[in-house]
Amino acid sequence: MDARHILSIRMAGEIVISASPAKTIKKWRNVFGVSQGDLASRLGVSPSVISDYESGRRKSPGSELVRKFVAALIDVDVSRGSQIVRGYERLLDGGAMTGAVIDMREFAFPISAEEVCNIVEGTPIANESLLKKDIYGYTALDSPRAILELSSDEFLRIYGLTSERALIFTRVSCGRSPFVAIRVSPIKPGLVILHGLKEVDPLGIMIAEKEKIPVILSGIEGDEALIKALRNNMN
Amino acid sequence: MDARHILSIRMAGEIVISASPAKTIKKWRNVFGVSQGDLASRLGVSPSVISDYESGRRKSPGSELVRKFVAALIDVDVSRGSQIVRGYERLLDGGAMTGAVIDMREFAFPISAEEVCNIVEGTPIANESLLKKDIYGYTALDSPRAILELSSDEFLRIYGLTSERALIFTRVSCGRSPFVAIRVSPIKPGLVILHGLKEVDPLGIMIAEKEKIPVILSGIEGDEALIKALRNNMN
DNA sequence: ACTCCCTTTCGACTATTGACGAACAACATG
DNA sequence: CATGTTGTTCGTCAATAGTCGAAAGGGAGT
């Protein structure tokens, strides 16, 4: 399976190139939803071995360890129906995203919604207590175009490998449409960032509270400055 | 530079996932056109260290070594004007290739043109003495569509990271047009494979001989069988 | 409060990596 | 034939990786 091989290379590359291989190893295990015990069984080692790696006890894991680790995660996914691999295949097959997607990144390792809030100079306006959660990447959208252009298939693709990401709506007018779209979608993002307005529609806030999605209002002036701030803080 | 980071991940991933990290490390050094001595200087180690890795003395290079290795190659490229990084950027930015490109792969490590010839059940018809050279990947084209559709920019992109690849022309009628196209292009492929005909135009053979490009006539029946044979022999 | 699951920490041990430097081989050039 | 460049092999040693297993912590469920 081609997507499987390409995903392997992507995962291994991210781990090796990461400023913190330990954190990136843990990120991928969490993306695949596998416990340390399950993974250890599949690799034929003790659970403490996995924990040692993810905690950074070994600073420079060997290539063979990384290769085995990646292969084991993908094997688990395949045994569960290839959900992650298929999701990645959709990302590959779709070619360039529409212009509605301004930017889209996966983090080498997750950062908290709180840190994301700091990066975008944001003000929490919904579910502030949930800002400790981990965010794995972001997708920035041009809201008017997104509403007009995104097909249901493309809407799935903006979630990349995991929905635990920041969905950033730029050029927002009153802040209701984004939440309506999220409300009717089966998949919910880990965090919503609104940009381009000062006051948010109360109904939008109610939807977010109900869906338990933290929402931030970014204070950075201009789309490009927002994207720049995010890119400069890539780990 | 974004393409730089993505290329880093790609290279590191290929090395780690490869069935032979040693050979893939050497492939990438050759793709970047850097000597072992130059690379050693840049890494602050002795040349024999590089040779030890490429010869397979160390079976499982550590992540840090791979990261440093990749970074050093890209630094060399940047100091020379970012030719490789820019080439990769063009690959990324172009989105999906036109339908003229049936398939396109880079090998984890190069194989000889002779091995490629065996894989496609080929008969050498030009420059047979050059079949010992290393081939780093392949691009399979639908010839009639390629002639009609490929812009000069897209023509460059079919070479991927290196031109030392097999350019495969399928649905060829008499075998002259492909060589005329190659003749006028500034970049020459490492190997040409013709498919879909029994006799090749003598002028085409003359052009290939003149350009010192080995040419093979594939004996596999059918485009799909040809691509399948190539994919099944990916290293 | 107890049990179970998941994860972390760390001492200890063996195997391998990372690296140097010497000796050598192959090829191109003058 | 001598010299320079590029690359290979290998003995050697210090440092680190790979791993086990014991002990322990935190959270959820009963």
Side-chain angles (χ1 to χ4, degrees), chain A residues 49-69:
Chain A
V49 170
I50 305 300
S51 186
D52 273 337
Y53 281 115
E54 293 185 1
S55 304
R57 190 186 205 197
R58 303 302 177 212
K59 307 301 181 192
S60 180
S63 296
E64 187 165 351
L65 182 277
V66 174
R67 183 166 57 243
K68 285 179 173 175
F69 170 83

Side-chain angles (χ1 to χ4, degrees), chain A residues 132-143:
Chain A
K132 289 193 185 321
K133 70 191 300 185
D134 278 338
I135 298 298
Y136 288 72
Y138 67 83
T139 305
L141 300 170
D142 177 315
S143 294

Side-chain angles (χ1 to χ4, degrees), chain B residues 143-158:
Chain B
S143 293
R145 290 185 68 179
I147 302 296
L148 285 174
E149 293 179 15
L150 285 185
S151 64
S152 58
D153 185 65
E154 285 177 320
F155 200 78
L156 290 183
R157 289 182 63 218
I158 66 177

Side-chain angles (χ1 to χ4, degrees), chain A residues 80-96:
Chain A
R80 290 175 178 171
S82 299
Q83 180 184 346
I84 306 287
V85 172
R86 284 202 201 133
Y88 195 66
E89 198 160 20
R90 281 198 293 275
L91 280 179
L92 293 176
D93 284 345

Side-chain angles (χ1 to χ4, degrees), chain B residues 161-176:
Chain B
L161 283 173
T162 173
S163 60
E164 290 301 329
R165 70 197 304 107
L167 205 51
I168 306 172
F169 293 92
T170 68
R171 298 185 195 162
V172 178
S173 55
C174 68
R176 179 181 294 196

Side-chain angles (χ1 to χ4, degrees), chain B residues 100-113:
Chain B
V101 177
I102 300 173
D103 199 25
M104 181 171 173
R105 303 287 154 134
E106 313 280 337
F107 299 148
F109 47 84
I111 57 178
S112 69

